[in-house]
C-alpha cells in the first residue's frame, strides 16, 4: 500500500533533485561554463508546453472526443514549421532590445507604452489563472486517488478536506516556494534562468518516460498491442465513432480549424512558451534542431493517448472513473504499484514545470510592466534616491509568484472543479490568443499603432471574459445560471454562449470567432485611423526591419539630448547592483577601446541607449525609458525628424547592400584570379619539367650517337661485328630521337586543330593483332607473357588507322614498361556492348596511386620525380592517346590499386552510339 507519507517524501525528493540540477547549472553558468548552450536542452525545455493537461487531460479528451484531441498538437507542429520566419524574427528583436517578457515585447513595439505593457500583463495573469488551477487540480486529484491505493476512489467521493488538509493549497504554497528558489534568487539583466531551463529539460524527459511506460503497459501488457486495442474499440458502437475525424464526437471541420489556430497561437504566446523559446534562448541557431525535435517529442508523448483512453473506457465501462485519471487508475487497477507511483511523478513533473516557468514569466511581467511603472511615478516614494533597488525588484517578483499561485488556487475552488482539465486549458489558450494580432501585426506591419493594439486587446479580452470566463463562474454557481440561458436583462441576443444568435458551435469556437473579429477588427481599423507618434514610428522601424538594421545601437540614432557618465552609471547600479553595473560599463568601454573607469568615456547617444537596453533587461523597456528620462535631458524628436533618420538609415542600408554585393563580386574575381594564377604556376612548373625531360631525353640518344660515332671515326679498323653493333645502336637512338620529336610536333598539331585525320572503317581486332606482332620481340626479350582475348568478329569503328595503331603502341609500351620485372604479364581484352567497342590493356606491375590516376593523362606527367625514379619517355604518350580516342567520340580512363597492377581502357562508338566523356 502507498502511504501518503511515502508519496510526499518521494515528491519532495524529486523536487529537491530538480532544485539540485538547477543549482548546479547556475553555479556552472556563474563560473563561465554554461550547460544549456545545447539545442537539445533548448528543444526539451520547449516541451514545457506538455503540462498536466497533456499528461492527464489529453486522455480525458480522447475518451470523449476520440481523435478530436489531435488539433491541440497539430497546431504547434504547423506553427513550428513557420518558426524560421516568425520566431527567428522575434528572437532577433528580443536580443537587440533586451526584451524581458511577452508584455515587454508588446510595450516596446508600440512606443514603449507602459499602459499597453500593463494591459498585456493583466490579460496574461487573468487568462493564465485557469491554466494554473488546472495544474493544481491535476496534482491534487492524482495525490488523492493514489493515497487510496489499492482502492480506486475519485476525489469527489472523498469529500472536501479542511483548509489545513487541502492538497491543492499545499501544492500551491510548495510550488511558490520552489519557484522563488528557482527563479528569483538574483536579478539577471538578460533575464536568463539557466538552472531553471536545465531542470525543465530534465522534467520533460521524466514525464515523457512516465507516459511512455504507462502507454506501453496498457497497450502491450493489458492488451495485445495497438491492433487489439483498436479492434476492441471498433467492436463497441460508442467507441467506434471516436475513430472518425471531422465528424461526430471527434468534432467537425470548424472545431478542428479553430482548435488548430488556437494551439498555433498558444505555442507562440503562452507566457511560459515565450519565456523558454525567446527569453531563455542563448543561440538563434538552436531553432534548427528545435524545428524537428520538438514535433518529434509531441508525437512520442501522444502516440499512446488513444490506446490509454480506449483501454480505460473498456476497463471502466460504467463511467465511475474520471477519464482524466485513466493514466493513473489503469496501473492501479492492474495492481502495478510502482508504475502508478512513476505516473504520479510524471504528472508532478508536467505540472511543476508549467507552474514554475509560467509564474516566473508572469512575476517578471507583473514587476516590470505593472507594479514598477506605477511605483516609479509615485514621487513621494523617492525611489530615485535609493542607492539599490534590487531588493525591491526581487521582493515584488516573489510576492507576485505567491499571489499568482494563490489566485490560481482560488480559481480552482471557484470554478475549476466544474470543468474537465482540457476545458480549463482551452480557456487559457483563448486568452493568450488575443496577443496574436498585436504581436504578429507588430513585427510585419509598420502601420500598427499603440492605439490600435490597445483597442484590439481590450476588445478581444472583453469578449473572452464575456464568452468564457463569466460562463465558468456561472456554471460554478458564483453567478446566476440564468445569465447563460437568457442573457443579461433577458436579452437573448447577448447570451454569452450564443452571442448575437450564433448557436450550434463549441464554446471555444464560439468565443474564438467573436474575440478574433473584435480584436483584429479594432486593431486594424484604429491603426489605420490613428497617426503614430515619433516613438511608435521609430519602434515600428526597429521591429519590422530588424534584419535590415545592424547592431544593438540602432535605437541610438533616435536620441538627442545631454547626459553624464556618473548619472548613467549610478542609475544602472541602483537596479542591477554595483558589480553588474561595473561589468556592463567595462564591456561598453572595452568596445570603445577604453578602460573602465576612464574620464574619456563620453555620455553620447550610444551610451544612453546602451544603459537603457541594460536597464530594460531588469525592469522592462517602459520603466527603463522612464528611469533614463529621469537622469538625462532629452530633446524630443518630431515625426518628420524620425522619418528623415529612417530615410538616411534606409539609404545607408541600401548602400551597405551595394557595397556587400561589390565585395562579393570582388571576392569572386579575386578567387578566379587566384585560381588562374595557380594554374599558370602549375603550367610553368609543367613547362620547366617538360623542358628538363625533353632535354634529358634528347641528350641521351644524342650522347650515344656522338659517342659511337666518335669511336668509329677515331678507329676505322674496328671489327666488322662490333662496327655493325655500334651502327645498330646509332640507328635505334636516331629512331628514338625522331619518335620524341614527332610526339612533340604531333601534340602541337592536335591541340592547334591542324592535325590531319584520315577516317576509315577500322577493324580493332586487326589493329590489336598487328600491334602485338610488331611488339612480339620486345615482349620476348623481357620475358613478358601476353594474353589476348579477342572475339571472332567485331563491328568496325570510324577512325584513323595509323592513329589507332599509335594508341595501341602507347598502351602496350606502357604495359611492358611497368609490368612485373620477373613474372611480367600483359592482358588485352576486346569486347563489344551497347554500340561501343571496349579495349582493356592490363599489366601486373606496381599500380598507380589515386593521386597519380587523376593526373596521369596530363601533358608531360609521368609517375615518379623528375630525373629520379621516373621511367624513360616524354610523358606525352597517354595524353596524345586520350586526345585521339576523344577525337573519335570515345573516352579513355585508368583503374588501378597499388600493388595490383593497372588497367588502361578506352571505348569507341561503332555507329550512332555516343560515349559519355570522362573528365
Amino acid at each position: 500500500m502507498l502511504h501518503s507519507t511515502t508519496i510526499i517524501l518521494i515528491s519532495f525528493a524529486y523536487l529537491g533533485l530538480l532544485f539540485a540540477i538547477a543549482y548546479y547549472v547556475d553555479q556552472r553558468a556563474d563560473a563561465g561554463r554554461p550547460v544549456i548552450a545545447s539545442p537539445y536542452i533548448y528543444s526539451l525545455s520547449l516541451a514545457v508546453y506538455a503540462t498536466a493537461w497533456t499528461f492527464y487531460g489529453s486522455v480525458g479528451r480522447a475518451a470523449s472526443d476520440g481523435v478530436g484531441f489531435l488539433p491541440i498538437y497539430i497546431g504547434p507542429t504547423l506553427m513550428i514549421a513557420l518558426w524560421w520566419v516568425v520566431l527567428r524574427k522575434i528572437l532577433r528583436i528580443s536580443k537587440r532590445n533586451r526584451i524581458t517578457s511577452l508584455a515587454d515585447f508588446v510595450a516596446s513595439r508600440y512606443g514603449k507604452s507602459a499602459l499597453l505593457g500593463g494591459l498585456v500583463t493583466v490579460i496574461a495573469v487573468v487568462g493564465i489563472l485557469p491554466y494554473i488551477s488546472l495544474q493544481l487540480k491535476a496534482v491534487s486529484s492524482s495525490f488523492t486517488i493514489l493515497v487510496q491505493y489499492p482502492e480506486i476512489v475519485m476525489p469527489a467521493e472523498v469529500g472536501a478536506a479542511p483548509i489545513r488538509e487541502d492538497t491543492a493549497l499545499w501544492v500551491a504554497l510548495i510550488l511558490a516556494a520552489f519557484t522563488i528558489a528557482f527563479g528569483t534568487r538574483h536579478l539577471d539583466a538578460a533575464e536568463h534562468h539557466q538552472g531553471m531551463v536545465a531542470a525543465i529539460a530534465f522534467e520533460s524527459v521524466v514525464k515523457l518516460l512516465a507516459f511512455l511506460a504507462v502507454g506501453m503497459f496498457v497497450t502491450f501488457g493489458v492488451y495485445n498491442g495497438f491492433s487489439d486495442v483498436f479492434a476492441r474499440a471498433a467492436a463497441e458502437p460508442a467507441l467506434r465513432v471516436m475513430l472518425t475525424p471531422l465528424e461526430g464526437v471527434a468534432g467537425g471541420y470548424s472545431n478542428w480549424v479553430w482548435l488548430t489556430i488556437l494551439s498555433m497561437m498558444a505555442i507562440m504566446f503562452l507566457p511560459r512558451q515565450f519565456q523558454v523559446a525567446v527569453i531563455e534562448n542563448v543561440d538563434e541557431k538552436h531553432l534548427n534542431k528545435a524545428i524537428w525535435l520538438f514535433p518529434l517529442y509531441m508525437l512520442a508523448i501522444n502516440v499512446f493517448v488513444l490506446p490509454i483512453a480506449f483501454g480505460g473506457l473498456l476497463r471502466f465501462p460504467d463511467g465511475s472513473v474520471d477519464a482524466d485519471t485513466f493514466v493513473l487508475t489503469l496501473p492501479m487497477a492492474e495492481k502495478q504499484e510502482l508504475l502508478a507511483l512513476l505516473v504520479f511523478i510524471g504528472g508532478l513533473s508536467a505540472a511543476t514545470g508549467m507552474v514554475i516557468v509560467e509564474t516566473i514569466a508572469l512575476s517578471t511581467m507583473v514587476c516590470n510592466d505593472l507594479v514598477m511603472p506605477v511605483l516609479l511615478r509615485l514621487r513621494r516614494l523617492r525611489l530615485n534616491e535609493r542607492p539599490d533597488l534590487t531588493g525591491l525588484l526581487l521582493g515584488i517578483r516573489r510576492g507576485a509568484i505567491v499571489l499568482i499561485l494563490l489566485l490560481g488556487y482560488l480559481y480552482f475552488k471557484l470554478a475549476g472543479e466544474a470543468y474537465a482539465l482540457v476545458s480549463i486549458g482551452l480557456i487559457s489558450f483563448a486568452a493568450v490568443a488575443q496577443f496574436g494580432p498585436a504581436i504578429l501585426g507588430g513585427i510585419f506591419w509598420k502601420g500598427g499603432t499603440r492605439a490600435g493594439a490597445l483597442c484590439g486587446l481590450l476588445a478581444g479580452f472583453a469578449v473572452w471574459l464575456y464568452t468564457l470566463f463569466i460562463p465558468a463562474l456561472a456554471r460554478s454557481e458564483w453567478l446566476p445560471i440564468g445569465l447563460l440561458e437568457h442573457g443579461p436583462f433577458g436579452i437573448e441576443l447577448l447570451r454569452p454562449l450564443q452571442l448575437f444568435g450564433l448557436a450550434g458551435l463549441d464554446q471555444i469556437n464560439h468565443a474564438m470567432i467573436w474575440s478574433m473579429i473584435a480584436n483584429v477588427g479594432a486593431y486594424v481599423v484604429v491603426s489605420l485611423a490613428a497617426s503614430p507618434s515619433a516613438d511608435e514610428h521609430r519602434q515600428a522601424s526597429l521591429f519590422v526591419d530588424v534584419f535590415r538594421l545592424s547592431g544593438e545601437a540602432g535605437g541610438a540614432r533616435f536620441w538627442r539630448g545631454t547626459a553624464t557618465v556618473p548619472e548613467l552609471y549610478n542609475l544602472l547600479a541602483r537596479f542591477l547592483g554595483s558589480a553588474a553595473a561595473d561589468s556592463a560599463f567595462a564591456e561598453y568601454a572595452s568596445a570603445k577601446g577604453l578602460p573602465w573607469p576612464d574620464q574619456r568615456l563620453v555620455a553620447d547617444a550610444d551610451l544612453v541607449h546602451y544603459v537603457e537596453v541594460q536597464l530594460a533587461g531588469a525592469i522592462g523597456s517602459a520603466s527603463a525609458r522612464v528611469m533614463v528620462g529621469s537622469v538625462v535631458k532629452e530633446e524630443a524628436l518630431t515625426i518628420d525628424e524620425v522619418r528623415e533618420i529612417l530615410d538616411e538609415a534606409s539609404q545607408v542600408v541600401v548602400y551597405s547592400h551595394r557595397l556587400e554585393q561589390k565585395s562579393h563580386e570582388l571576392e569572386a574575381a579575386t578567387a578566379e584570379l587566384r585560381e588562374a594564377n595557380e594554374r599558370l604556376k602549375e603550367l610553368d612548373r609543367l613547362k620547366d619539367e617538360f623542358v628538363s625531360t625533353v632535354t634529358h631525353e634528347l641528350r641521351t640518344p644524342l650522347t650515344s650517337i656522338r659517342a659511337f660515332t666518335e669511336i668509329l671515326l677515331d678507329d676505322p679498323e674496328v671489327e666488322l661485328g662490333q662496327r655493325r653493333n655500334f651502327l645498330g645502336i646509332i640507328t635505334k637512338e636516331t629512331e628514338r630521337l625522331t619518335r620524341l620529336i614527332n610526339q612533340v610536333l604531333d601534340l602541337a598539331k592536335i591541340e592547334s586543330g591542324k592535325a590531319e585525320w584520315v577516317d576509315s572503317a577500322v577493324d580493332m581486332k586487326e589493329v590489336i593483332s598487328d600491334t602485338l606482332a610488331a611488339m612480339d620481340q620486345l615482349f620476348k626479350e623481357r620475358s613478358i607473357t601476353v594474353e589476348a582475348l579477342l572475339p571472332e568478329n567485331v563491328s568496325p569503328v570510324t577512325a584513323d588507322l595509323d592513329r589507332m595503331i599509335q594508341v595501341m603502341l602507347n598502351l602496350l609500351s606502357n604495359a611492358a614498361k611497368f609490368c612485373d620485372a620477373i613474372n611480367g604479364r600483359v592482358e588485352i581484352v576486346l569486347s563489344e556492348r551497347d554500340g561501343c567497342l571496349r579495349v582493356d590493356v592490363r599489366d601486373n606491375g606496381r599500380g598507380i596511386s589515386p593521386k597519380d590516376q587523376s593526373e596521369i593523362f596530363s601533358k608531360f606527367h609521368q609517375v615518379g620525380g623528375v630525373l629520379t625514379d621516373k621511367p624513360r619517355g616524354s610523358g606525352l604518350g597517354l595524353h596524345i592517346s586520350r586526345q585521339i580516342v576523344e577525337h573519335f567520340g570515345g573516352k579513355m580512363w585508368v583503374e588501378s590499386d597499388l600493388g595490383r597492377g593497372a588497367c588502361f581502357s578506352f571505348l569507341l562508338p561503332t555507329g550512332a552510339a555516343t560515349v559519355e566523356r570522362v573528365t
Side-chain angles (χ1 to χ4, degrees):
M1 182 175 179
L2 290 170
H3 294 285
S4 58
T5 305
T6 304
I7 299 172
I8 292 171
L9 288 176
I10 292 175
S11 301
F12 270 99
Y14 178 71
L15 292 175
L17 175 62
L18 293 181
F19 183 78
I21 292 172
Y23 183 79
Y24 170 75
V25 172
D26 276 340
Q27 292 298 309
R28 287 280 300 259
D30 292 342
R33 294 176 294 152
V35 174
I36 70 166
S38 163
Y40 297 101
I41 291 181
Y42 177 69
S43 301
L44 285 172
S45 71
L46 294 175
V48 72
Y49 179 79
T51 65
W53 169 2
T54 298
F55 198 84
Y56 293 115
S58 290
V59 172
R61 186 173 181 87
S64 60
D65 296 355
V67 293
F69 83 97
L70 287 174
I72 301 301
Y73 304 98
I74 293 174
T77 303
L78 294 176
M79 192 68 204
I80 286 169
L82 302 174
W83 269 12
W84 193 246
V85 176
V86 180
L87 188 61
R88 188 169 69 97
K89 191 168 191 178
I90 292 175
L91 272 172
R92 187 73 59 87
I93 292 168
S94 298
K95 301 308 176 189
R96 289 267 178 90
N97 296 275
R98 286 293 180 94
I99 299 298
T100 60
S101 65
L102 185 71
D104 192 25
F105 188 92
V106 178
S108 182
R109 162 59 180 88
Y110 297 99
K112 302 189 176 181
S113 168
L115 178 61
L116 198 52
L119 176 61
V120 171
T121 300
V122 171
I123 294 174
V125 171
V126 175
I128 295 301
L129 287 180
Y131 213 158
I132 292 175
S133 77
L134 183 158
Q135 313 308 313
L136 301 178
K137 178 179 180 179
V139 176
S140 174
S141 298
S142 59
F143 177 80
T144 302
I145 293 171
L146 192 59
V147 296
Q148 305 298 324
Y149 181 84
E151 300 296 325
I152 298 177
V153 182
M154 292 296 100
E157 301 174 28
V158 176
I163 189 70
R164 291 179 301 175
E165 299 176 13
D166 191 335
T167 308
L169 177 60
W170 282 107
V171 169
L173 294 175
I174 292 168
L175 289 180
F178 270 89
T179 303
I180 289 171
F182 269 112
T184 60
R185 288 186 294 117
H186 53 76
L187 276 181
D188 187 339
E191 278 303 324
H192 285 157
H193 306 85
Q194 297 197 24
M196 179 199 73
V197 172
I200 296 304
F202 177 77
E203 282 194 314
S204 297
V205 174
V206 171
K207 66 191 175 191
L208 176 61
L209 292 177
F211 197 86
L212 291 177
V214 70
M216 287 188 286
F217 170 73
V218 172
T219 306
F220 301 104
V222 179
Y223 300 97
N224 294 321
F226 288 100
S227 58
D228 182 35
V229 175
F230 288 115
R232 290 175 184 244
E236 297 287 337
L239 303 185
R240 187 186 309 125
V241 295
M242 296 183 183
L243 295 170
T244 307
L246 302 176
E247 61 180 62
V249 297
Y253 287 95
S254 64
N255 194 49
W256 279 60
V257 168
W258 279 108
L259 285 180
T260 300
I261 294 172
L262 189 63
S263 54
M264 289 177 72
M265 296 295 103
I267 194 66
M268 291 292 299
F269 306 128
L270 279 168
R272 70 174 186 277
Q273 293 302 137
F274 195 88
Q275 181 74 29
V276 295
V278 179
I279 307 304
E280 304 294 347
N281 178 275
V282 295
D283 189 344
E284 193 177 282
K285 294 178 182 177
H286 288 174
L287 280 180
N288 297 335
K289 280 281 193 305
I291 283 173
W292 64 265
L293 195 58
F294 180 66
L296 187 63
Y297 184 98
M298 287 288 98
L299 174 64
I301 205 168
N302 281 286
V303 72
F304 288 109
V305 168
L306 282 174
I308 295 173
F310 289 146
L313 291 171
L314 293 169
R315 182 66 174 77
F316 309 111
D318 59 354
S320 60
V321 176
D322 186 354
D324 282 338
T325 69
F326 282 171
V327 177
L328 180 63
T329 52
L330 278 171
M332 290 175 63
E334 298 297 327
K335 301 299 184 287
Q336 297 294 318
E337 183 176 344
L338 292 179
L339 181 58
L341 186 58
L342 176 62
V343 169
F344 175 76
I345 294 300
L348 183 64
S349 284
T352 55
M354 178 273 178
V355 170
I356 288 171
V357 181
E358 201 80 79
T359 50
I360 286 175
L362 291 177
S363 67
T364 301
M365 293 165 66
V366 168
C367 175
N368 293 357
D369 298 283
L370 198 61
V371 177
M372 284 305 294
V374 174
L375 295 183
L376 292 174
R377 284 169 171 79
L378 296 176
R379 296 184 178 180
R380 62 177 178 271
L381 296 179
R382 296 182 179 180
L383 293 182
N384 58 341
E385 297 178 8
R386 293 193 184 183
D388 189 347
L389 294 174
T390 55
L392 175 64
L393 293 172
L394 289 174
I396 293 172
R397 295 185 184 189
R398 290 165 182 167
I401 288 171
V402 174
L403 180 61
I404 290 167
L405 279 166
L406 289 178
L407 288 174
Y409 167 76
L410 183 62
Y411 182 90
F412 167 59
K413 284 299 182 183
L414 292 179
E417 296 187 84
Y419 283 86
L421 295 180
V422 169
S423 299
I424 298 175
L426 289 175
I427 292 174
S428 290
F429 271 27
V432 298
Q434 306 308 316
F435 301 138
I439 294 178
L440 295 177
I443 64 175
F444 292 110
W445 182 40
K446 291 183 181 179
T449 65
R450 170 182 171 275
L454 199 61
C455 291
L457 285 170
L458 282 172
F461 183 53
V463 174
W464 175 84
L465 282 172
Y466 190 71
T467 57
L468 286 177
F469 197 80
I470 287 178
L473 296 178
R475 284 174 173 168
S476 301
E477 300 181 357
W478 289 94
L479 290 175
I481 195 67
L483 183 67
L484 304 183
E485 298 172 352
H486 309 295
F489 312 110
I491 304 174
E492 292 196 355
L493 278 178
L494 297 181
R495 286 180 295 177
L497 300 181
Q498 294 96 32
L499 192 60
F500 302 124
L502 184 61
L505 290 176
D506 176 86
Q507 179 182 358
I508 299 297
N509 298 346
H510 172 266
M512 281 295 294
I513 290 173
W514 285 119
S515 64
M516 284 295 107
I517 289 175
N519 192 330
V520 176
Y523 175 65
V524 173
V525 171
V526 175
S527 291
L528 292 174
S531 297
S533 66
D535 281 345
E536 291 176 58
H537 200 78
R538 173 192 66 200
Q539 292 300 109
S541 176
L542 293 177
F543 274 54
V544 177
D545 296 332
V546 66
F547 290 120
R548 294 174 55 198
L549 302 174
S550 60
E552 285 192 0
R557 300 193 310 270
F558 301 98
W559 189 83
R560 300 286 186 274
T562 58
T564 65
V565 173
E567 286 178 328
L568 292 173
Y569 171 80
N570 291 333
L571 174 64
L572 200 57
R574 278 162 49 205
F575 287 94
L576 299 184
S578 298
D582 279 326
S583 177
F585 268 76
E587 181 181 346
Y588 178 83
S590 176
K592 297 290 184 180
L594 298 172
W596 170 254
D598 193 296
Q599 293 182 349
R600 291 174 293 173
L601 192 63
V602 179
D604 55 9
D606 286 339
L607 180 58
V608 172
H609 177 71
Y610 177 79
V611 169
E612 183 176 336
V613 168
Q614 298 299 314
L615 205 54
I619 61 174
S621 59
S623 297
R625 168 59 61 87
V626 172
M627 293 311 301
V628 169
S630 69
V631 298
V632 303
K633 295 179 181 178
E634 183 175 1
E635 300 171 9
L637 294 177
T638 66
I639 188 69
D640 291 333
E641 288 176 317
V642 171
R643 287 199 179 102
E644 285 180 15
I645 293 172
L646 290 174
D647 289 341
E648 291 174 7
S650 298
Q651 292 173 9
V652 169
V653 169
V654 171
Y655 183 62
S656 175
H657 286 170
R658 289 178 180 173
L659 282 178
E660 186 176 358
Q661 183 179 357
K662 294 296 181 182
S663 175
H664 289 320
E665 292 174 358
L666 184 59
E667 287 178 3
T670 302
E672 291 176 4
L673 287 173
R674 189 181 296 112
E675 184 178 349
N677 186 47
E678 292 298 323
R679 181 62 182 160
L680 286 174
K681 288 181 180 178
E682 176 65 13
L683 289 175
D684 186 59
R685 184 190 66 78
L686 291 175
K687 180 259 299 179
D688 292 342
E689 185 174 327
F690 171 68
V691 170
S692 175
T693 301
V694 171
T695 302
H696 174 72
E697 295 297 332
L698 288 173
R699 186 185 299 118
T700 301
L702 285 174
T703 300
S704 297
I705 293 170
R706 180 178 178 180
F708 288 111
T709 304
E710 286 177 351
I711 292 173
L712 293 174
L713 184 63
D714 293 342
D715 188 5
E717 302 300 327
V718 174
E719 294 180 3
L720 181 61
Q722 195 170 9
R723 180 187 295 272
R724 286 179 177 174
N725 184 39
F726 288 170
L727 290 173
I729 293 173
I730 291 172
T731 302
K732 286 183 178 181
E733 294 299 323
T734 305
E735 290 173 352
R736 179 182 171 192
L737 189 61
T738 302
R739 187 166 57 251
L740 179 61
I741 294 172
N742 286 339
Q743 281 189 333
V744 175
L745 295 174
D746 205 16
L747 176 63
K749 287 181 180 180
I750 291 174
E751 291 194 337
S752 65
K754 295 180 181 179
E756 295 180 2
W757 306 91
V758 181
D759 294 354
S760 62
V762 175
D763 185 342
M764 284 304 299
K765 179 181 178 182
E766 182 180 336
V767 169
I768 294 171
S769 298
D770 290 348
T771 308
L772 286 173
M775 297 188 64
D776 182 63
Q777 186 61 35
L778 174 64
F779 288 134
K780 288 180 178 178
E781 289 175 359
R782 300 189 180 183
S783 301
I784 298 173
T785 303
V786 179
E787 182 179 3
L789 303 177
L790 309 177
E792 288 292 329
N793 296 296
V794 292
S795 302
V797 296
T798 301
D800 186 317
L801 178 61
D802 291 337
R803 295 289 188 183
M804 296 317 300
I805 292 174
Q806 181 183 354
V807 170
M808 289 307 304
L809 283 170
N810 272 326
L811 294 182
L812 289 172
S813 297
N814 278 342
K817 191 185 303 179
F818 289 105
C819 69
D820 188 78
I822 299 174
N823 298 310
R825 177 180 176 81
V826 175
E827 180 183 84
I828 305 99
V829 180
L830 175 64
S831 59
E832 182 175 1
R833 184 179 179 183
D834 298 331
C836 292
L837 286 185
R838 172 169 173 164
V839 178
D840 299 302
V841 179
R842 183 177 288 105
D843 63 66
N844 65 342
R846 65 184 181 185
I848 305 169
S849 69
K851 177 183 177 183
D852 284 326
Q853 287 179 38
S854 62
E855 300 289 337
I856 201 165
F857 291 101
S858 300
K859 289 182 288 187
F860 320 127
H861 187 87
Q862 292 178 290
V863 178
V866 180
L867 301 180
T868 55
D869 62 339
K870 188 180 69 174
R872 295 178 62 177
S874 64
L876 295 175
L878 286 175
H879 181 75
I880 292 173
S881 296
R882 181 183 245 191
Q883 294 273 15
I884 293 170
V885 170
E886 290 183 351
H887 176 79
F888 293 110
K891 66 177 183 179
M892 179 177 285
W893 69 96
V894 64
E895 297 173 354
S896 177
D897 292 320
L898 282 175
R900 301 180 63 181
C903 179
F904 285 86
S905 306
F906 66 87
L907 284 176
L908 285 173
T910 58
T914 58
V915 180
E916 184 181 350
R917 295 288 177 90
V918 174
T919 58

